[in-house]
């Protein structure tokens, strides 16, 4: 009794101290922002120049355009909506607007009143004779505070070699340093030692809960509908939250404001069509983009009825409408709908995402910008067996409703404040079974639904302290609540929870709070310019995550179960520090960066031996909790413009987990710990019609458990694994080269359009990369012989490791067109 | 697990053709680990205990029998029996008989280590009906006759666990795919359950149904997961089957009641 009281007392004390610390932190941040905002305001008269920068051809916003003020050696960058704002003392200035791949524009302005300057930049077209590289272009890579961030334009992804005629956003992103895949043909992103569910994939800010098509060989992001993407691996700004490892922000195209265009492609397995154009010129536009596979359409002609009746396909549909009411108010509505269907004989599964985003950009004045966003996301799957007596329907579903207010306040050229609030509501419906046929044996039942409410508020300040030193610091505060209706099991032994140990069930009514978690997430980034071409950067961030996938396999399956934090499953918390050196060479033609990071992850879950999390009614009895950590060095050399572009990257990293009850409590490697990772990505334009591209990757093999012995049970040979050596072995190293050639047609398509052929070879030198390795009895040295086949005369019976190879070499061809 | 593999199968069949190859991977050396397979049932002729140890992965021998262990079986009534070794690591149970409701304890002493396991014999229902039907060759099924059967739940209003063994012309089927275990947690009765093994004309098929306690059920389920695992990233990390034996021994000690039915395919 005394002991319990002491524990409660210390807990309380700890709570009070923590609250104090948080309070102090808040005061500290607020005062910093105060100082930043007002003490540094220019004393003499100041005016603001602001506006939007757009693409001259399509009218789409351009993100990340640098606006540089020659006289003050300062500048601004357009935000995610193409908006910029600069407050400068009264005077005459030369402003340079520049963006990679676009022709720079220089304007002389006389700033004696607030000015709105909207601008359209034209794409640079390379002519052999005049490869002009503007000198003194302030390079964002070096000058921005942001680090550990990777940007990819969709054109870059589209120029890469395809698999089955499909280029893929997530497969391309896996070529960037610090981002790994679980293995060939999986779309999950494992960023700096984090698992796939610790990366937030968002398209137009709507989360995609399952990005896979065909179990992960393709992703749901149709390249024709995407504009660009950005991945935050660390130094995550306070604006973003919800996942502890990484945020991948994908933006859909907005639709051409100038003219109507159609584009598309015909590939080996799918076709794509995109229509876009103005609804009202320069005011409203739309885009509709669709993709569907058609292998099942060919299957209809098969002679074998069992093949003919199969239905296997996926589709994606993206749509977006933009409307610009006036310079101060812009709206868009976008949606994504996608589905996979795999039906074979009497079994079938289908899954898909639906998302919707409504956004309103509003300018209160030249310096205060507000984004209001409403988001809906739905992921569901259904699994069915149609033949009695086992016939059933099984459905599961996860829905999210999300609202955000994001303010940006341009204080002065040296200071920008971002602040906002977010509220989201999630509804988890893990699984509901019901019998399907009349003679089904299956009893109808369903798991309890779970409901969660999450809120976050943040404030951050980008501050230029001197010509050399800039920083961005901020604080995000998130709060999470499980809400009723729901029930919580009480256990006899809290530490050692078992199904038999449930002593009571506490029921909660609708909207009652079952459990609350909250916490601060400080963020910090710093940049010090060494000279005009190089800089040092450092960052720290703490992130919190209130939901995760409960799965004991590495790669995602559509049936993976998302679960919220609850009474027993604590939110995941991660701290990361990163240090980087950034340098540009040859007048910014080459960008080089080197970053080191260290990351600590708390409340990481793993599963007890033999656990089946998918159908567990009390997951807390199946999990074990521990910690994880990861550290590494990422080197990147990139060439962004010219006829030859691409990058070479190398990552060396080390990731471990430590969970009491697994591997004897010793640290172990997760499967995706792959210390060495090299990517080479090259694209070369031979002339205006012909371009070549190639990728080469090398990765250490995945960490796997290797049997330590074997034994015989009831006539079967079985591998013995050392329980103290989890994932102690390695698959053979993985390497692969892909090549492609793109040829634009000389003749105009129907007199107006442009057509091009793409020939790709995946795994060009036919490396047999094991996809899986299993250990089993092999008869007569031939792994294809069925061990149980009585007709085979057994000469030898060995216990061997057998690899399965997925793709030896995959040539493909696709045709793309644009009108 | 079955579900995962079937989804995986669907994808593989529908889209990608892959190939298998032998690879050479360096295997660590093995310190032999004791393997215990003990079963006591309410049918004397099925009762047996077998002891062996693991061997190196590259060893030609897949299992080494253990003949010099001390093996003791006892029941809740306080009866004790020291089992004598017959041959090839088999130990014979002679005195203690299996009774429903009784709890049994197996104690093994080998090379200075003690291993202990207990299991309770739960009742099993009788198999009401057994039939078969013919299925043609398809993407999922081999051509042949498939057995199905019906039985009431062993204990009403409780979750029961079962294991089924199939004999073809008195030979036990012991292939990788022949581990059939289930729970009746999600079904109303054991009605028309079909076992996924093709038989041919004139085969005599014997079906045995074993009651299992939870730990034996978990063992067979994890055993099945292990041996059907493809080692890929859709599978969990391979683990030894969860055993009810103490001190790190592999295998199982299970007390089961057994019912059986026979049918000739005509």
């Amino acid at each position: 009794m005394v002991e319990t009281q002491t524990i409660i007392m210390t807990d309380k004390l700890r709570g009070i101290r923590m609250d104090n610390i948080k309070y102090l932190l808040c005061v500290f941040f607020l005062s910093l922002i105060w100082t930043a905002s007002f003490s540094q305001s220019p004393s003499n008269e100041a005016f603001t120049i602001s506006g939007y920068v757009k693409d001259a051809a399509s009218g789409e916003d351009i993100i990340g355009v640098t606006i540089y003020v020659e006289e003050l050696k300062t500048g601004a960058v357009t935000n995610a909506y193409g908006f910029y704002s600069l407050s400068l003392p009264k005077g005459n200035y030369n402003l340079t607007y520049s963006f990679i791949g676009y022709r720079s524009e220089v304007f002389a302005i006389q700033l004696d009143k607030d000015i709105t300057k909207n601008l359209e930049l034209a794409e640079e077209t390379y002519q052999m004779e005049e490869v002009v590289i503007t000198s003194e272009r302030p390079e964002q890579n070096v000058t921005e505070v942001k680090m550990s961030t990777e940007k990819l334009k969709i054109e870059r992804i589209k120029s890469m070699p395809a698999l089955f005629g499909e280029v893929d956003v997530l497969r391309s992103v896996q070529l960037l340093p610090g981002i790994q895949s679980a293995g060939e043909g999986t779309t999950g992103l494992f960023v700096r030692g984090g698992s796939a569910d610790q990366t937030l994939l968002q398209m137009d800010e709507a989360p995609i809960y399952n990005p896979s098509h065909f179990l992960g060989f393709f992703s749901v992001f149709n390249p024709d509908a995407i504009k660009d993407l950005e991945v935050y691996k660390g130094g995550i700004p306070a604006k973003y939250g919800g996942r502890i490892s990484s945020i991948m922000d994908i933006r859909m195209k907005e639709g051409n404001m100038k003219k109507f265009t159609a584009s598309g492609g015909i590939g080996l397995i799918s076709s794509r069509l995109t229509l876009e154009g103005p609804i009202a010129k320069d005011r409203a536009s739309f885009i509709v983009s669709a993709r569907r596979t058609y292998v099942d359409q060919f299957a209809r002609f098969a002679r074998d009825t069992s093949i003919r009746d199969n239905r296997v396909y996926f589709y994606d549909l993206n749509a977006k409408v933009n409307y610009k009411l006036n310079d101060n108010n812009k709206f868009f509505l976008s949606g994504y709908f996608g589905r996979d269907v795999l039906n074979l004989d009497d079994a079938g599964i289908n899954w898909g995402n639906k998302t919707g985003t409504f956004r309103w950009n509003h300018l209160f004045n030249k310096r205060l910008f507000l984004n209001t966003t409403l988001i809906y996301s739905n992921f569901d799957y259904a699994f069915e067996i149609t033949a009695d007596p086992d016939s059933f329907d099984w459905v599961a579903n996860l829905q999210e409703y999300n609202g955000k207010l994001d303010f940006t306040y341009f204080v002065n050229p040296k200071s920008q404040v971002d602040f906002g609030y977010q509220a989201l509501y999630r509804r988890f419906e893990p699984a509901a079974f019901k019998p399907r046929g009349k003679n089904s044996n299956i009893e109808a039942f369903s798991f309890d639904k779970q409901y969660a409410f999450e809120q976050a508020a943040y404030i951050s300040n980008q501050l230029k302290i001197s010509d050399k030193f800039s920083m961005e610091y901020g604080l995000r505060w998130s709060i999470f609540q499980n809400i009723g209706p729901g029930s919580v099991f009480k256990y006899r032994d809290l530490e050692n929870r078992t199904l038999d140990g449930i002593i009571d069930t506490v029921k909660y009514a609708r909207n009652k709070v079952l459990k609350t978690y909250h916490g601060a997430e400080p963020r910090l980034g710093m940049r010090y310019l060494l000279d005009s071409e190089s800089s040092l950067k450092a960052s720290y961030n703490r992130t919190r995550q209130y939901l995760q996938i409960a799965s004991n396999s590495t790669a995602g399956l559509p049936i993976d179960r998302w679960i919220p934090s609850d009474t027993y499953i604590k939110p995941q918390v991660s701290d990361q520090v990163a240090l980087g050196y950034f340098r540009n060479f040859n007048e910014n033609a080459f960008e080089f960066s080197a970053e080191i990071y260290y990351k600590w992850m708390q409340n990481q879950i793993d599963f007890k031996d033999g656990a089946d999390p998918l159908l567990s009614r009390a997951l807390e009895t199946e999990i074990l909790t521990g910690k994880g950590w990861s550290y590494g060095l990422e080197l990147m050399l990139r060439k962004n413009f010219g006829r030859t572009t691409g990058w070479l990257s190398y990552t060396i990293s080390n990731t471990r987990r430590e969970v009491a009850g697994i591997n004897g409590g010793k640290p172990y490697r997760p499967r995706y710990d792959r210390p060495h990772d090299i990517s080479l990505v090259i694209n070369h334009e031979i002339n205006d019609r012909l371009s070549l591209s190639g990728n080469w990757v090398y990765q250490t093999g995945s960490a796997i458990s290797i049997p330590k012995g074997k034994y015989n049970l009831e006539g079967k040979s079985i591998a013995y694994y050392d329980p103290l050596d989890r994932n102690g072995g390695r698959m053979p190293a993985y390497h692969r080269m892909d090549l492609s050639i793109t040829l634009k047609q000389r003749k105009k398509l129907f007199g107006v359009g442009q057509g091009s052929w793409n020939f790709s070879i995946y795994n060009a030198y036919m490396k047999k990369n094991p996809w899986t390795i299993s250990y089993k009895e092999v008869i007569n040295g031939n792994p294809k012989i069925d061990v149980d086949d009585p007709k085979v005369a057994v000469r030898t019976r060995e216990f061997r490791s057998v690899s399965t190879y997925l793709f030896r070499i995959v040539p493909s061809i696709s045709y793309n067109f644009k009108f | 697990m079955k579900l995962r593999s079937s989804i995986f199968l669907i994808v593989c069949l529908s889209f990608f053709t892959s190939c298998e190859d032998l690879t050479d991977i360096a295997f660590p050396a093995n310190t032999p680990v004791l393997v215990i397979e003990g079963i006591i049932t309410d049918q004397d002729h099925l009762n047996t205990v077998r002891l062996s140890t693991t061997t190196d992965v590259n060893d030609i021998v897949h299992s080494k029998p253990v003949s010099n262990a001390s093996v003791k079986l006892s029941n809740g009534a306080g009866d004790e029996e020291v089992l004598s070794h017959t041959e090839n690591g088999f130990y014979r149970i002679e005195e203690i008989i299996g009774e429903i409701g009784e709890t049994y304890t197996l104690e093994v002493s080998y090379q200075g280590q003690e291993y202990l396991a207990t299991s309770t014999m739960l009742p099993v229902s009788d198999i009401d009906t057994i039939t078969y039907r013919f299925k043609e060759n398809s993407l999922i099924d081999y051509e042949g006759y498939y057995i199905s059967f019906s039985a009431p739940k062993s204990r009403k209003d409780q979750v029961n666990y079962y294991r089924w063994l199939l004999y073809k012309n008195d030979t036990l089927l012991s292939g990788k795919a022949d581990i059939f275990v289930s729970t009746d947690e999600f079904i109303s009765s054991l009605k028309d359950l079909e076992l996924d093994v093709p038989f041919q004309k004139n085969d005599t098929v014997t079906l045995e149904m074993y009651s299992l306690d939870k730990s034996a059920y978990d063992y067979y389920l994890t055993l099945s997961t292990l041996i059907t695992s493809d080692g890929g990233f859709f599978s969990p990390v391979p683990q030894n089957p969860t055993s009810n034996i103490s001190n790190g021994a592999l295998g199982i000690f299970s007390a089961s009641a057994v019912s059986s039915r026979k049918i000739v395919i005509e």
Side-chain angles (χ1 to χ4, degrees), chain A residues 37-38 41 85 365-369 407-412 415-419 460-462:
Chain A
S37 311
F38 299 100
S41 298
S85 172
N365 54 49
K366 304 284 175 195
R367 288 161 57 172
L368 185 62
F369 186 92
F407 292 89
T408 304
Y409 182 54
F410 300 93
V411 183
N412 58 43
S415 174
Q416 176 187 327
V417 177
D418 291 279
F419 57 100
S460 75
N461 180 211
Q462 278 182 46

Side-chain angles (χ1 to χ4, degrees), chain A residues 164 182-184 186 214-215 217-218 269 295 306-307 310 312 342 344-349 383 389-390 394 439-443 445 551-557 559-560 607-610 612 614-615 617 671 704-723 726-727 730 732 768 770-778 781 783-784 786 788 797-808, chain B residues 1 3-4 6-31 33 35-37 50 52-63 133 137-142 153 163 165 168 172-179 184-194 214 219-223 226-227 229-242 248 250-251:
Chain A
F164 295 109
E184 189 154 33
T186 57
F214 279 140
L215 298 192
F217 291 102
F218 306 103
I269 63 162
V295 173
S306 61
I307 292 176
N310 297 327
V312 180
L342 297 169
L344 259 195
D345 272 16
D346 45 15
I349 183 166
F383 187 66
D390 304 321
W394 163 353
N439 298 315
S440 175
N441 266 339
I442 305 292
E443 264 178 89
F445 85 94
S551 166
N552 51 6
S553 64
T554 308
L557 280 180
I559 55 170
D560 277 344
F607 289 85
K608 291 180 182 170
D609 288 359
D612 192 355
L614 186 61
L615 289 180
R617 284 171 191 276
R671 190 181 169 110
I704 52 167
S705 295
I706 288 181
K708 214 170 177 197
K710 63 173 185 296
Y711 57 108
N712 193 283
L713 277 182
E714 298 171 352
K716 290 175 280 287
S717 283
I718 291 157
Y720 165 67
Y721 293 90
D722 186 342
R726 175 182 280 219
N727 290 343
R730 289 245 170 238
K768 283 180 161 187
W771 192 52
T772 64
I773 291 186
S774 55
Y775 310 93
K776 56 186 184 184
E777 268 182 285
V778 173
K784 289 182 188 73
D786 185 353
D788 299 337
R797 190 181 273 272
E798 296 164 294
F799 196 79
R800 295 291 300 267
S801 49
V802 176
S803 312
T804 304
Y805 306 98
L806 208 52
F807 305 123
R808 283 298 298 282
Chain B
M1 286 314 106
L3 178 68
R4 271 159 204 260
S6 45
I7 293 171
F8 182 67
L9 184 84
I10 292 174
V11 179
C12 286
L13 287 176
S14 33
F15 251 83
F16 305 101
T17 47
S18 57
C19 56
E20 286 191 322
D21 229 336
L22 295 177
T23 11
D24 282 311
I25 277 201
F27 293 105
N30 173 41
T31 324
V33 178
V35 185
I36 301 175
E37 295 165 86
R50 179 180 167 239
S52 60
T53 63
T54 59
T55 62
D56 277 352
V57 176
N58 296 322
D59 203 324
I60 309 163
V61 181
H62 289 216
S63 160
R133 68 166 171 145
N137 227 349
S138 73
L139 282 174
I140 296 177
D141 302 306
Y142 290 108
K153 286 188 174 188
R163 177 177 192 210
L165 290 179
K168 180 178 182 173
L172 175 67
L173 299 182
S174 61
K176 268 168 72 159
D178 297 325
I179 299 176
D184 56 18
E185 192 177 354
F186 303 125
I187 51 178
S188 48
S189 69
L190 308 174
K191 208 182 84 194
D192 301 324
L193 294 188
E194 191 168 83
K214 176 78 164 66
Y219 167 79
Y220 286 111
L221 202 63
T222 49
L223 173 65
L226 175 66
I227 61 179
S229 165
D230 62 355
F233 23 71
F234 295 122
S235 307
V237 175
Q239 284 155 354
N240 301 320
T242 55
L250 298 163

Side-chain angles (χ1 to χ4, degrees), chain A residues 163 171 174 181-187 215-217 555 674 699 702 731 734-736 738 762-763 767-771 804-808 810, chain B residues 233-234:
Chain A
L163 170 61
R171 252 200 338 265
Q174 288 166 351
S181 70
E184 189 154 33
T186 57
T187 44
L215 298 192
F217 291 102
R674 309 173 84 169
Q699 291 164 335
S702 307
M731 303 249 290
Y734 179 97
H735 54 98
R736 189 189 86 224
D738 310 327
Y762 184 91
N763 198 5
K767 170 75 169 53
K768 283 180 161 187
N769 283 307
W771 192 52
T804 304
Y805 306 98
L806 208 52
F807 305 123
R808 283 298 298 282
V810 186
Chain B
F233 23 71
F234 295 122

Side-chain angles (χ1 to χ4, degrees), chain A residues 333 406 705:
Chain A
L333 182 65
D406 296 297
S705 295

Side-chain angles (χ1 to χ4, degrees), chain A residues 484-499:
Chain A
S487 50
V488 176
F489 295 127
K490 297 283 168 196
Y491 293 88
R492 193 177 299 117
D493 181 352
L494 266 180
E495 293 300 304
N496 208 350
R497 299 179 292 261
T498 59
L499 282 177

Side-chain angles (χ1 to χ4, degrees), chain B residues 72-76 96 103-107 116-119 253:
Chain B
K72 196 166 78 182
L73 181 68
S74 56
N75 64 16
I96 290 189
T103 299
Y104 299 88
T105 303
L106 184 74
E107 292 171 74
L116 193 75
T118 59
S119 182
F253 171 62

